[in-house]
Amino acid sequence: MMFVFSVLSIFIGFFMITIPAVLWDLTESWKSKDAREPSNFYILTSRILGGFSILLGIIGFADLFG
């Protein structure tokens, strides 16, 4: 179970860091009829949270194999 959580956490974190605009299109764009692209604040917070997600996945692997 911890292995699956760690892999998903790293995968989602990588996705959040590399292409936050696609994540915004999939999850947030339908909430606003005026917005065409994510704000700079959304991109920044998405990348920061993606980094934390990757870190959490790495800690999960370290706990699993350490």
Side-chain angles (χ1 to χ4, degrees):
M1 183 70 172
M2 181 63 102
F3 178 78
V4 174
F5 175 75
S6 297
V7 170
L8 283 176
S9 179
I10 291 172
F11 177 74
I12 291 170
F14 180 74
F15 185 68
M16 290 173 73
I17 288 174
T18 57
I19 44 177
V22 173
L23 180 66
W24 180 83
D25 275 339
L26 293 173
T27 61
E28 303 292 329
S29 65
W30 63 273
K31 295 178 184 177
S32 173
K33 63 181 178 180
D34 295 332
R36 301 272 183 219
E37 60 185 27
S39 66
N40 290 335
F41 180 72
Y42 179 86
I43 290 173
L44 177 67
T45 55
S46 177
R47 288 183 172 158
I48 290 171
L49 292 175
F52 283 128
S53 179
I54 290 173
L55 184 62
L56 187 63
I58 291 170
I59 290 171
F61 272 128
D63 185 48
L64 196 65
F65 296 117

